[in-house]
């Protein structure tokens, strides 16, 4: 610890608790940290939420060991494996360098292609084989016993041996004549594969002999899908025109034809549980069910997915159909009805369009509410997927839909939610979520517990213009009131329980321009609104009277209030951020550095950090107490929303053209992080978005620890400056109670001396006689002998005394001081007591001890030890000091030296205390 002596201001007195850095050391450390730091120092990618499927067809596998079906879906750079029985997530694969473009599986391995490379995964997770040899992107994979067939976009077909990773055969096709678009291994056809082309023809090859067996002329339409029928030699062929051809490849005979008017056939599957039914997918999201005996359409599953059907598979000998699509949904349908119609049995579903807003819900940090451009409001759990739930689409008239039983609700759905606010205080009593919709005046209420849209649509009754929309919403911390800002400048208050209008701020309107943000403090005393005209206004929440108005340098874009601390963040259109204190209504911090529009902001739970996300693809963390930028990193996709967990463990983000929510773990919770300000010329690096696997980005987390490791390894000097009073690092127990040792020993003295138990003999003696009796123990009547203390032992000089005698000659006392530092309180007292001539010491040794104390005061080191040792010395030898002129002269010099140092320190302490008391009591 350090205390400055020669300073100009009283506030220079400092007591740092950790390693100290000089000015040059801080500058050098910051320079080294900025050079080594390549990623975020505060946040590390954890995992992605809400991703279940994309446009890559799923793969169904059967485990003979567990007797269960598993379905594997692709989610970008990794894939998920689900148990079909409960649709629970079984495994998440490790990430690959690029997005997966096609998948296949056999009984043991899962194959995934990315770019011109594909890999084999064991246990649904680990890469065990990697196959390299293609020059174009791979788009087809077909397992073939101990081999795997891969086809790229240049129509080059390669057959690989799986375990040796060696190339077995390569076939090259002219893609202008025969561009491969589908591949199939017909059942019971040994060493043969059937290839379909975009030109419409099909070829049957023997891959062992490398011979073309037969060419099917086709139907002059591109082949999009090939599927083996339950019957041998029969194959279903899907065409670009929407036709499905059931063809016998042995006799080259067409058995039947079906046609769907929904576009090209995307996938085909057959039921194998005794019903002759074929299902065909389409780009519209519809599924057609065809009866193969009657050769007719028996049912249509319309809007099974909101996008194209990527894949559909009937489970073997079960009435279950597995489908997935690019709408981020995986669904299982069961066919147990009399009409053969499938009903939804289980599903895993996320948002099918990019997100518009996300916010943490509740105080436990385990649920994230998200709104999307698909019009749905969903809740995702950070703990487990089984706690996810969808609050559904917003409906204009829910009662009418229920009464009439409308199947297609597209015409009555509300537009996407742009902003929402949620509060869980009264969620069990009434609706606790308020949301404004794109291009709509009315705001909808939602009930989280019931997982549905609420009963009210909040809007002012008298509104003449039709182009007015709701632009900002907030809900009070008690959950009773909702505050809604409109594009006309009006700000209204509504009761959440009854939906009744409870007043408006201002006479006609609160702002002349569009309302950009509304917020209510934690006690419902103050309402803050801001408009596009560049004004920030403070209103009394109860009587709706204007209290104060602040003019901003630019139009605000985003406003966020941290209710616990009363700090208001404003993102302006000039890409700057202003921070206000709602109590003093003054701007306390201003930040600049973003190069694009700021989309969203978030406060840390303690209100120390402000995290901002902008269209320049950067996420910046600002430290409010110091007013500095402490973290910045870039992303490959611009962040649209950020939300900090109420517990501070995760940062949630959403991004442009991404359907998931990405979690970033707070490194400062489990590691020492350097919060030094970033230099002005700091260039952030691009950080990849986290995948769905939790155990990744290990290298990034190690890089982020490097600056903090450098800070920990810094070796602080023993004394920063010769003018600073430096305290020792010894614990207080070594020096604080030196004057009270006699009291402590008296307290700890036992009441009775310890009694030594008498040892019993091995054979207990008995008294001879007819009746056996034990002999009484012999009483020792000898008086206890006193122990004579050998004074000769005490008369020997200790090492401490010898070092003090050496100090008189060479004037060096470091060794003697170190001996005292290593001793305990009792040892120190014994050493100082032995300095007296009566206990084996001498006047010269006592003089040497006083010179050692003077040396400590001159060097201004071990300040508290010098005071404690001197106090104990005076307590023990005060009576004999006046009788020795040499000692009296030394003690007089020490007295003036101690008084001078302490007077200066005390004046600094008093000045600092005075300034602190003024800062605490004065109203600034």
């Amino acid at each position: 610890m350090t205390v400055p002596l020669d300073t100009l201001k009283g506030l220079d007195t400092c007591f740092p608790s950790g390693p100290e850095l000089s000015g040059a050391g801080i500058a050098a450390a910051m320079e080294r940290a900025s050079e080594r730091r390549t990623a975020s120092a505060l946040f590390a990618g954890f995992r992605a939420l809400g991703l279940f499927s994309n446009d890559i067809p799923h793969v169904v596998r059967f485990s003979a060991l567990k007797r269960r079906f598993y379905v594997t879906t692709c989610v970008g750079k990794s894939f998920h494996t689900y148990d079909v029985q409960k649709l629970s997530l079984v495994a998440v694969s490790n990430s690959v360098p690029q997005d997966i473009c096609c998948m296949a599986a056999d009984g043991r391995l899962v194959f995934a292609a990315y770019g011109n490379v594909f890999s084999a995964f064991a246990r649904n997770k680990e890469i065990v084989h990697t196959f390299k040899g293609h020059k174009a992107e791979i788009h087809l994979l077909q397992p073939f016993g101990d081999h795997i067939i891969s086809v790229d976009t240049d129509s080059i077909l390669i057959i690989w041996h799986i375990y040796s990773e060696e190339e077995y055969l390569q076939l090259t096709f002219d893609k202008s004549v025969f561009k491969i678009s589908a591949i199939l291994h017909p059942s019971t056809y040994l060493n043969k594969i059937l290839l379909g082309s975009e030109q419409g023809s099909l070829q049957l090859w023997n891959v062992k002999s490398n011979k073309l067996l037969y060419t099917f002329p086709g139907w002059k339409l591109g082949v999009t899908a090939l599927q083996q029928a339950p019957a041998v030699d029969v194959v279903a062929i899907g065409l670009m025109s929407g036709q499905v051809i059931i063809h016998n490849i042995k006799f080259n005979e067409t058995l039947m034809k079906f046609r769907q008017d929904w576009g090209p056939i995307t996938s085909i599957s057959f039921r194998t549980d005794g019903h002759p039914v074929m299902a065909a997918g389409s780009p519209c999201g519809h599924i057609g069910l065809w009866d193969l005996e009657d050769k007719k359409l028996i049912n249509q599953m319309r809007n099974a997915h909101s996008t194209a059907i990527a894949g559909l598979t009937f489970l073997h000998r079960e009435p279950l159909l597995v489908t997935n699509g690019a709408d981020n949904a995986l669904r299982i349908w069961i066919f147990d009805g009399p009409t053969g119609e499938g009903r939804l049995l289980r599903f895993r579903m996320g948002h099918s369009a990019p997100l518009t807003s996300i916010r943490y819900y509740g105080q436990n940090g385990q649920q994230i509410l998200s709104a999307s451009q698909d019009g749905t409001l969903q809740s995702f759990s950070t703990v487990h997927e089984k706690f996810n739930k969808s609050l559904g689409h917003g409906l204009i008239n829910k009662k009418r839909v229920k009464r009439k039983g409308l199947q297609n609700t597209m015409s009555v759905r509300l537009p996407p939610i742009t902003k929402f606010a949620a509060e869980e205080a009264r969620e069990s009593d009434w609706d606790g979520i308020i949301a404004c919709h794109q291009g709509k005046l009315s705001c909808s209420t939602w009930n989280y517990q019931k997982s549905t849209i609420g009963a009210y649509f909040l809007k002012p009754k008298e509104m003449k213009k039709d182009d007015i929309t709701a632009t900002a919403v907030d809900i009070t911390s008690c959950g009773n009131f909702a505050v809604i800002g409109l594009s006309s400048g009006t700000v209204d208050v509504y009761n959440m329980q009854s939906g009744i209008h409870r007043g408006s701020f201002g006479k006609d309107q609160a702002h002349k321009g569009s309302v950009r943000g509304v917020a209510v403090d934690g006690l419902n005393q103050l309402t803050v609104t801001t408009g596009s005209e560049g004004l920030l206004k403070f209103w009394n929440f109860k009587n709706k009277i204007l209290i104060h108005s602040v003019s901003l340098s630019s139009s605000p874009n985003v406003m966020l209030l941290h209710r616990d601390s009363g700090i208001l963040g404003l993102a302006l259109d000039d890409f700057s951020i202003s921070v206000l204190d709602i109590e003093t209504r003054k701007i306390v911090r201003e930040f600049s550095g973003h190069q694009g529009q700021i989309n969203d902001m978030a406060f840390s739970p303690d209100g120390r950090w402000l995290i901002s996300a902008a269209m320049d693809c950067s996420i910046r963390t600002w430290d409010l107490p110091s007013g500095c930028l402490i973290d910045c990193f870039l992303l490959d996709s611009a962040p649209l929303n950020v939300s900090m967990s109420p517990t501070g463990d995760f940062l949630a983000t959403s991004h442009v053209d991404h359907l998931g929510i990405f979690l970033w773990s707070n490194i400062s919770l489990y590691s020492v992080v350097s919060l030094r300000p970033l230099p002005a010329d700091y260039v952030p690096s691009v950080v990849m978005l986290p995948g769905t696997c939790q155990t990744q980005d290990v290298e990034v987390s190690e890089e982020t620890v490097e600056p903090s490791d450098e800070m920990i390894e810094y070796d602080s000097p023993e004394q920063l400056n010769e003018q600073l009073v430096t305290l020792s690092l010894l614990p207080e127990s070594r020096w604080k109670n030196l004057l009270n040792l006699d009291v402590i020993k008296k307290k700890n003295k036992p009441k009775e001396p310890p009694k030594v138990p008498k040892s019993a003999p091995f054979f207990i003696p008995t008294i001879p006689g007819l009746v056996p009796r034990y002999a009484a123990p012999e009483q020792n009547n000898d008086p206890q002998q006193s122990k004579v203390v050998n004074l000769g032992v005490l008369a020997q000089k200790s090492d401490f005394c010898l070092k003090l005698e050496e100090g008189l000659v060479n004037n060096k006392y470091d060794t003697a001081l170190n001996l005292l530092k290593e001793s305990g309180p009792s040892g120190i007292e014994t050493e100082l007591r032995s300095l007296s001539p009566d206990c084996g010491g001498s006047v010269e040794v006592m003089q040497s001890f006083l010179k050692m104390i003077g040396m400590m005061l001159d060097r201004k080191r071990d300040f508290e030890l010098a005071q404690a040792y001197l106090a104990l010395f005076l307590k023990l030898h005060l009576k004999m000091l006046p009788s020795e002129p040499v000692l009296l002269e030394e003690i007089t010099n020490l007295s003036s030296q101690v008084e001078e140092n302490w007077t200066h320190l005390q004046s600094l302490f008093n000045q600092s205390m005075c300034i602190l008391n003024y800062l605490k009591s004065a109203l600034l």
Side-chain angles (χ1 to χ4, degrees), residues 26 557 703 754 812:
I26 291 176
N557 182 37
E703 289 177 356
K812 295 181 180 180

Side-chain angles (χ1 to χ4, degrees), residues 112-404:
Y114 45 96
N116 57 357
V117 181
F118 70 99
S119 299
F121 292 78
R123 294 176 291 277
N124 301 311
K125 187 177 182 67
E126 304 166 355
I127 297 178
V128 292
H129 302 289
T130 301
F131 305 88
K132 300 179 180 179
H134 285 281
K135 297 181 179 179
E137 181 177 311
I138 301 171
H139 71 111
L140 292 175
L141 290 174
Q142 176 64 49
F144 196 69
D146 290 339
H147 296 77
I148 177 76
I149 303 173
S150 60
V151 182
D152 60 22
T153 54
D154 290 339
S155 292
I156 296 177
L157 183 148
I158 302 178
I159 302 176
W160 310 80
H161 190 276
I162 295 176
Y163 300 103
S164 65
E165 302 180 11
E166 295 178 354
E167 184 178 318
Y168 175 77
L169 177 65
Q170 179 172 334
L171 299 176
T172 302
F173 297 86
D174 186 0
K175 61 181 182 180
S176 61
V177 179
F178 191 88
K179 185 175 182 179
I180 302 174
S181 59
I183 186 172
L184 173 68
H185 169 52
S187 297
T188 70
Y189 279 56
L190 188 63
N191 301 325
K192 297 175 180 63
I193 57 172
L194 181 65
L195 304 176
S197 67
E198 292 184 359
Q199 288 77 12
S201 61
L202 294 91
Q203 294 182 4
L204 184 65
W205 282 80
N206 187 321
V207 295
K208 186 175 183 180
S209 60
N210 191 13
K211 290 184 179 180
L212 175 62
L213 301 181
Y214 193 80
T215 299
F216 301 91
W219 295 266
K220 298 181 181 180
L221 294 169
V223 177
T224 58
L226 290 175
Q227 181 62 37
Q228 174 68 50
V232 181
D233 302 327
V234 178
V235 173
I237 304 169
L239 304 179
M240 288 291 295
S241 62
Q243 283 183 305
V244 181
I245 309 296
I246 308 298
H247 194 77
N248 190 313
I249 59 175
K250 184 176 182 179
F251 300 104
N252 191 16
E253 179 183 356
T254 299
L255 303 180
M256 57 190 79
K257 293 183 180 181
F258 303 104
R259 183 180 181 84
Q260 296 181 171
D261 296 331
W262 301 324
I265 302 298
T266 57
S267 54
I268 303 172
S269 185
F270 292 89
R271 287 184 67 174
T272 56
D273 59 339
H275 296 268
V277 176
M278 179 190 69
S282 68
C284 302
H286 309 322
I287 299 175
L289 300 175
W290 302 86
D291 191 326
L292 300 179
E293 287 186 352
D294 297 338
K295 300 182 182 179
K296 66 177 182 179
L297 180 69
I298 58 173
N299 218 316
Q300 299 179 20
M301 298 171 59
R302 289 185 172 268
N303 299 315
H305 289 268
S306 59
T307 58
I309 304 294
L312 56 86
T313 307
F314 276 107
L315 298 187
H316 185 61
R317 295 183 178 179
E318 291 191 22
L320 298 177
L321 176 65
V322 181
T323 63
N324 78 299
D327 58 350
N328 196 19
L330 173 66
R331 293 183 170 94
I332 297 180
W333 312 80
I334 185 171
F335 294 82
D336 55 356
T339 59
E341 182 180 1
R343 62 178 179 89
L344 187 61
L345 180 63
R346 287 180 287 270
F347 65 92
R348 287 283 182 267
M349 180 182 66
H351 288 292
S352 60
L355 280 63
T356 58
S357 181
I358 61 171
R359 285 293 179 268
Y360 268 92
Y361 182 77
Q363 297 301 319
N364 57 6
Q366 296 180 359
Q367 298 290 336
I368 300 177
L369 280 175
S370 64
S372 169
Q373 295 178 8
D374 59 6
T376 61
L377 182 65
Q378 298 191 32
S379 173
F380 294 98
S381 172
T382 60
V383 179
H384 198 275
E385 288 183 349
K386 66 181 180 181
F387 300 115
N388 295 353
K389 62 179 181 179
S390 174
L391 280 69
H393 287 86
L395 301 177
I396 298 177
N397 194 333
K398 187 172 67 172
K399 294 182 179 178
R400 175 172 171 266
V401 173
K402 284 187 175 182
R403 184 172 62 252
K404 293 190 175 183

Side-chain angles (χ1 to χ4, degrees), residues 45-71:
F46 182 64
R47 71 187 189 100
L49 298 178
L51 296 177
F52 301 97
S53 174
N54 59 8
D55 58 341
I56 304 301
H58 65 264
V59 176
V60 174
R61 304 170 59 206
F62 179 74
S63 174
L65 180 63
K66 297 184 178 180
R67 307 293 298 175
R68 286 185 178 181
F69 286 99
Y70 294 94
V71 57

